[in-house]
Amino acid sequence: MSLSAAETDRAEDRLVWLFTLSLIGESAGYGAVAVPNTVPMAAAGQVADPRPIRLAGALRGDR
């Protein structure tokens, strides 16, 4: 028994839709992990910035 063209199209459309949803889910997952990981990296970069200025002879604001 062979499938009609309409049934074949519906089956293919379903597979394409599932693949599209899986790609969207994977992209959202990577984004959900990447954004929180960026915050500590940016904060760590900010902590190291004043050190060369102090080594060059700049004083703290409280002195």
Side-chain angles (χ1 to χ4, degrees), residues 18-30:
L18 287 173
F19 181 71
T20 302
L21 286 178
S22 69
L23 285 178
I24 291 171
E26 187 175 349
S27 298
Y30 277 114

Side-chain angles (χ1 to χ4, degrees), residues 6-51:
E7 291 172 340
T8 304
D9 284 345
R10 278 195 298 271
E12 185 176 339
D13 288 345
R14 183 173 179 269
L15 288 175
V16 169
W17 180 245
L18 287 173
F19 181 71
T20 302
L21 286 178
S22 69
L23 285 178
I24 291 171
E26 187 175 349
S27 298
Y30 277 114
V33 170
V35 171
N37 282 338
T38 303
V39 173
M41 288 189 298
Q46 292 297 321
V47 171
D49 284 345
R51 187 167 184 234

